[in-house]
């Protein structure tokens, strides 16, 4: 009878956790519109690229974007880990574009809620405590990251990060089977980070390294478990690692915001600056309270001392310490705070939830009310903002909203050019810092203006209007994407070699046809696809193929995920004791 009661409780709380994000977002979904703030447009384009390629029958899509970001073949979806998000896009591809985005947000929130619930259940929390703890962990930052920030890769990573924290706890236990389960779990999570948000993988790796160092200092001989974690994460994250190694050499990295502090005070200044202390970097009143709690109780509850140390170290890396040369590839080291703050919240729950009936409800409210406020403000913005297509059709990410008809406008896919992952040839045209994140006129000439120019043209031939927009020069016409092919019509007055508004990467296999005849193409001095064209009108088709070695890595990664999850499932079936034993 008691077992049936516990099962009923589990089902009830799981159902509530699934319903909560649906109820929270229903008013927003009902409007049929979407506000695009911070990084939202960038990720909307990534999702739409995957959507269109899947609907056209391409399972893995292309490395270079052809449906979005100007259709210029820039390898944004290739370099930005997309495999986990692609699965979510495939599941929801039957919906309209706007409803699909909301469905993905819902799926991420549901996965986050259930992940947290089962993590705390495995730590022997009572059902009600696990339920409340799940609400605290899910809603303290996730809603802001998905709605306000629009960062879907980070949102996916945060939905499974509790299992990383669980692994960091259990890998230090005295039970060998418990440690082995923890090591495989850590490997799976960091591997999935590699497939969804590479910077999260880096944060996770640093947390694991810090834990390993502390274990070495405390003479815990579990080095083999860390080796297993590393091998597992490498195998699962193999596609991202290979793409980064191959294409990192021939593409620009993300724009850096490097700083050089001149004093100790300046080094730690980001901890106190108003523009740093936002939820975009993990700072909310509640997460700050959790961090303060960890700081003042550092010497209490020694069984959690290693987690507290890791949390505080991670937060410190969000200061200008994160801008040291080692982290040059990171655009915002301040995002260390997100993981450090969430770990502080995790520790607060571990110490205060068991047996504390009043405080846990207060903590739950402190975490959920800001999330509710975020959704309410978002709904208010939707009711006040005009539709993007009713404005001047420019990039206004804070003052207009989108609906399904916004996707009917060609300009919607090209009104911003990202510097990230353009060919290395564009390095010399990058704007000097602090404007390095904004595209140059040479970049916009391809992505925005779609100009066709004679190869080796002079830079001063690119003209701009009073608003500094590039004036198109002999732009392509009838630009269409289908499956893995971009087609376009070009009219020229003289025979010659021309630079097309399409970026060329040496490691991508291209098949280029002009008037149905295959021709040889190469990279121009600007990194654009260059080929010989005859006078008159030419119909050009550019088809990308996925390198065979990448297809193999995807297969290895998929099999590794299935195999490791099956391994953990079978061990659980054998009733392995998986709770923490300090």
């Amino acid at each position: 009878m008691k077992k049936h009661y516990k099962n009923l409780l589990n089902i009830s709380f799981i159902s509530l956790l699934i319903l909560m994000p649906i109820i929270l977002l229903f008013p927003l979904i009902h409007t049929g519109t979407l506000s695009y703030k911070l990084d939202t447009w960038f990720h909307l384009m990534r999702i739409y690229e995957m959507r269109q390629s899947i609907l056209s029958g391409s399972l893995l899509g292309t490395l270079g974007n052809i449906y979005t970001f100007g259709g210029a073949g820039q390898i944004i979806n290739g370099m930005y880990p997309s495999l986990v998000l692609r699965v979510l896009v495939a599941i929801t591809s039957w919906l309209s574009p706007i409803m699909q985005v909301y469905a993905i947000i819902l799926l991420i929130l549901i996965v986050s809620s259930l992940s947290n619930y089962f993590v705390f259940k495995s730590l022997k929390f009572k059902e009600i405590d696990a339920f409340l703890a799940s609400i605290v962990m899910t809603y303290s930052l996730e809603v802001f990251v998905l709605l306000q920030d629009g960062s879907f890769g980070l949102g996916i990573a945060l939905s499974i990060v509790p299992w990383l924290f669980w692994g960091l706890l259990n890998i230090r236990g005295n039970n060998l089977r418990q440690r082995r389960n923890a090591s495989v779990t850590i490997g799976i999570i960091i591997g999935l980070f590699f497939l969804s948000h590479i910077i999260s993988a880096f944060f996770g790796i640093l947390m694991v390294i810090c834990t390993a160092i502390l274990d070495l200092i405390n003479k815990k001989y579990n080095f083999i478990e860390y080796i297993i974690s590393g091998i597992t994460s490498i195998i699962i994250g193999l596609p991202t690692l290979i793409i980064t190694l191959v294409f990192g050499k021939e593409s620009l990295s993300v724009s850096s915001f490097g700083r050089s502090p001149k004093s100790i005070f300046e080094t730690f200044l980001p901890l106190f600056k108003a523009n740093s202390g936002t939820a975009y970097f993990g700072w909310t009143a509640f997460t700050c309270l959790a961090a303060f709690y960890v700081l003042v109780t550092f010497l209490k509850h020694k069984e959690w001392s290693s987690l507290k140390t890791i949390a505080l170290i991670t937060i410190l890396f969000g200061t200008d310490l994160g801008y040291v040369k080692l982290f040059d590839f990171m655009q915002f080291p301040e995002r260390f705070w997100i993981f450090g703050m969430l770990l502080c919240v995790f520790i607060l729950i571990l110490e205060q939830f068991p047996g504390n009936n009043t405080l846990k409800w207060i903590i739950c409210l402190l975490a959920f009310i800001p999330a509710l406020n975020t959704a309410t403000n978002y709904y208010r913005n939707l009711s006040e903002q005009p539709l993007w297509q009713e404005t001047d059709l420019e990039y206004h990410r804070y003052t207009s909203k989108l609906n399904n008809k916004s996707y009917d406008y060609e300009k919607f896919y090209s009104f911003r050019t990202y510097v990230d992952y353009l060919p290395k040839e564009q390095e010399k045209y990058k704007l000097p810092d602090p404007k390095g994140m904004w595209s140059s006129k040479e970049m916009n000439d391809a992505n925005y203006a779609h100009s066709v120019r004679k190869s080796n043209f002079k830079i001063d031939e690119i003209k701009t209007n009073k608003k500094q927009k590039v004036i198109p020069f002999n732009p392509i016409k009838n630009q269409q994407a289908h499956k893995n092919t971009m087609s376009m019509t070009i009219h020229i007055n003289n025979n010659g070699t021309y630079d097309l508004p399409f970026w060329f990467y040496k490691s991508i296999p291209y098949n280029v046809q002009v008037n149905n005849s295959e021709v040889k193409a190469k990279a121009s001095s600007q990194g654009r696809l260059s080929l010989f064209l005859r006078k008159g009108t030419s119909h050009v088709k550019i088809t990308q193929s996925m390198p065979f070695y990448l297809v193999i890595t995807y297969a290895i990664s998929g099999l590794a995920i299935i195999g490791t999850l099956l391994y953990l499932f079978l061990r659980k079936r054998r009733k392995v004791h998986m709770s923490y034993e300090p």
Side-chain angles (χ1 to χ4, degrees):
M1 187 68 181
K2 187 176 179 181
K3 185 177 180 181
H4 288 303
Y5 176 70
K6 288 178 71 71
N7 288 337
L8 182 61
L9 273 180
N10 267 323
I11 293 171
S12 299
F13 286 130
I14 288 171
S15 301
L16 283 172
L17 290 173
I18 292 171
L19 283 173
M20 281 183 68
I22 296 173
I23 295 170
L24 183 68
L25 297 185
F26 179 77
L28 284 59
I29 296 170
H30 187 65
T31 67
T33 59
L34 189 72
S35 185
Y36 63 114
K37 301 179 179 182
L38 295 173
D39 299 330
T40 306
W41 183 79
F42 176 83
H43 293 284
L44 287 183
M45 294 299 97
R46 293 181 59 226
I47 290 171
Y48 191 75
E49 179 82 19
M50 298 177 209
R51 169 193 175 87
Q52 293 304 101
S53 66
I54 289 170
L55 291 176
S56 68
S58 178
L59 182 63
L60 294 176
T62 57
L63 294 173
N65 288 50
I66 58 174
Y67 294 93
T68 54
F69 298 107
Q74 187 176 353
I75 55 170
I76 290 177
N77 270 27
M79 287 294 286
Y80 203 105
S82 302
L83 192 59
V84 176
L85 181 57
R86 193 173 186 85
V87 172
L88 298 179
V89 172
I91 293 170
T92 58
S93 59
W94 56 278
L95 295 166
S96 66
I98 294 295
M99 290 300 107
Q100 181 175 33
V101 174
Y102 277 121
I104 290 171
I105 292 173
L106 283 174
L107 286 173
I108 294 172
L109 287 173
I110 290 169
V111 168
S112 180
S113 298
L114 297 183
S115 288
N116 280 290
Y117 181 75
F118 288 115
V119 161
F120 290 106
K121 279 287 292 177
S122 71
L123 292 171
K124 303 305 177 184
F125 274 44
K126 294 178 181 178
E127 286 76 9
I128 182 63
D129 289 347
F131 171 71
L132 295 175
S134 175
I135 292 173
V136 173
M137 285 293 292
T138 300
Y139 292 94
S140 54
L141 281 178
E142 190 88 68
V143 172
F144 183 92
V145 166
L146 292 170
L147 284 182
Q148 294 290 101
D149 183 1
S151 182
F152 289 86
L154 177 60
I156 292 169
L158 295 184
S159 72
I160 55 176
V161 76
W163 287 109
L164 174 64
F165 299 160
W166 178 90
L168 294 179
L169 269 179
N170 284 275
I171 202 169
R172 310 183 75 246
N174 296 321
N175 184 293
L176 177 60
R177 288 186 173 182
Q178 166 193 321
R179 295 202 307 270
R180 199 57 52 85
N181 285 340
S183 66
V184 174
T185 300
I186 291 172
I188 294 171
I189 297 307
I190 293 180
L192 291 175
F193 284 175
F194 274 120
L195 300 179
S196 55
H197 192 245
I198 195 168
I199 300 302
S200 293
F202 182 76
F203 295 154
I205 289 169
L206 280 183
M207 284 183 160
V208 174
I209 290 173
C210 288
T211 307
I213 292 172
L214 290 173
D215 281 355
L216 186 63
I217 293 171
N218 293 321
K219 297 182 179 181
K220 283 183 175 287
Y221 302 107
N222 53 355
F223 186 70
I224 188 65
E225 274 70 42
Y226 290 103
I227 297 294
I228 292 171
S229 294
I231 293 172
T232 305
S233 63
I234 288 172
I235 295 173
I236 292 175
L238 197 59
T240 297
L241 293 171
I242 295 298
I243 288 173
T244 303
L245 287 172
V246 173
F247 290 94
K249 298 177 182 178
E250 55 181 283
S251 63
L252 301 181
S253 60
V254 294
S255 302
S256 175
F257 293 87
R259 295 194 292 263
S260 300
K262 298 177 182 178
S263 67
I264 294 294
F265 175 73
E266 285 190 16
T267 295
F268 295 98
L269 189 61
L271 286 171
F272 311 102
K273 288 173 67 175
N275 61 342
S276 293
T278 66
Y280 186 73
F281 293 129
W283 288 79
T284 68
F286 175 68
T287 58
C288 286
L289 179 65
F292 181 73
Y293 170 84
V294 168
L295 189 62
V296 298
T297 63
F298 184 77
L299 298 178
K300 294 182 179 180
H301 304 283
K302 290 185 177 180
E303 66 268 31
W304 316 122
S305 59
S306 63
L307 280 187
K308 290 181 178 180
T309 303
I310 295 164
L312 295 177
I313 289 173
T314 307
I315 291 172
L316 284 178
F317 272 117
T319 67
D320 277 338
L321 291 175
Y323 283 99
V324 297
K325 195 68 178 176
L326 178 64
F327 304 146
D328 261 359
F329 67 94
M330 294 176 62
Q331 194 172 46
F332 296 115
E334 290 93 338
R335 286 195 170 179
F336 272 110
W337 292 335
I338 294 177
F339 281 72
M341 292 296 198
L342 271 181
L343 184 51
C344 288
V345 173
F346 189 78
I347 294 166
L348 174 64
I349 292 169
L350 290 178
E351 292 191 357
Q352 293 300 322
F353 267 48
N356 200 326
N357 293 324
T358 303
L359 186 59
K360 62 190 174 189
W361 286 96
I362 296 173
I363 291 172
C364 186
L365 286 173
L366 288 174
F368 185 75
I369 288 174
L372 180 61
N373 186 55
T374 297
T376 302
N377 288 335
Y378 193 93
Y379 178 77
R380 186 181 299 117
N381 287 335
L382 290 178
S383 63
E384 296 172 353
Q385 292 173 341
L387 287 167
W388 169 76
Q389 57 267 30
E390 295 173 357
T391 66
D392 58 1
L393 302 185
E394 295 296 336
Y395 183 61
H396 302 302
R397 61 181 180 179
Y398 292 105
T399 58
S400 61
K401 62 186 177 184
L402 310 169
N403 66 1
N404 289 320
K405 291 186 178 179
S406 303
Y407 288 82
D408 295 337
Y409 291 77
E410 184 180 341
K411 195 172 182 179
F412 179 63
Y413 307 103
S414 60
F415 57 44
R416 181 174 177 187
T417 299
Y418 283 82
V419 177
D420 310 346
Y421 313 129
L422 285 168
K424 277 286 188 184
E425 289 86 349
Q426 284 293 309
E427 183 83 53
K428 55 188 173 184
Y429 303 113
K430 283 185 67 174
L431 299 176
D433 289 332
K435 295 183 178 180
M437 66 176 294
W438 300 105
S439 54
S440 65
K441 65 178 184 179
E442 292 81 9
M443 301 169 184
N444 290 329
D445 191 53
N447 284 48
Y448 175 79
H450 302 150
S451 300
V452 178
R453 298 181 184 272
K454 265 291 192 80
S455 292
N456 300 315
F457 65 89
K458 296 180 179 179
I459 302 307
D460 57 13
E461 293 178 23
I462 301 176
K463 305 298 181 183
T464 58
N465 58 24
K466 293 181 180 179
K467 294 183 178 181
Q468 298 304 307
K469 296 285 187 181
V470 174
I471 300 172
F473 179 83
N474 191 27
I476 59 174
K477 302 190 184 302
N478 302 323
Q479 183 184 23
Q480 292 183 338
H482 178 69
K483 208 168 185 178
N484 299 336
T485 300
M486 169 59 72
S487 60
M488 60 190 75
T489 301
I490 301 171
H491 183 83
I492 55 172
N493 295 324
N494 297 292
N495 294 349
T497 304
Y498 289 84
D499 285 8
L500 274 56
F502 199 90
W503 304 108
F504 188 95
Y505 300 86
K506 298 177 180 64
S507 298
I508 294 180
Y510 294 100
N511 177 276
V512 183
Q513 293 186 0
V514 178
N515 297 327
N516 296 321
S517 297
E518 188 174 341
V519 298
K520 188 174 182 180
K522 62 179 182 179
S524 71
S525 59
Q526 287 213 16
R528 289 161 69 158
L529 188 146
S530 177
L531 50 75
F532 180 82
L533 294 174
R534 297 189 180 278
K535 177 182 177 181
T537 301
S538 298
H539 302 286
V540 179
K541 292 182 179 179
I542 305 167
T543 302
Q544 301 176 59
S545 298
M546 186 68 67
F548 182 70
Y549 61 85
L550 279 184
V551 177
I552 296 298
T553 63
Y554 284 125
I556 292 172
S557 177
L559 290 173
I561 293 171
I562 294 170
T564 50
L565 289 176
L566 185 61
Y567 167 83
L568 291 175
F569 175 75
L570 291 176
R571 288 174 73 87
K572 185 173 177 61
R573 292 273 294 182
R574 290 166 59 187
K575 296 183 179 180
V576 177
H577 183 59
M578 299 174 68
S579 62
Y580 177 66
E581 296 177 8

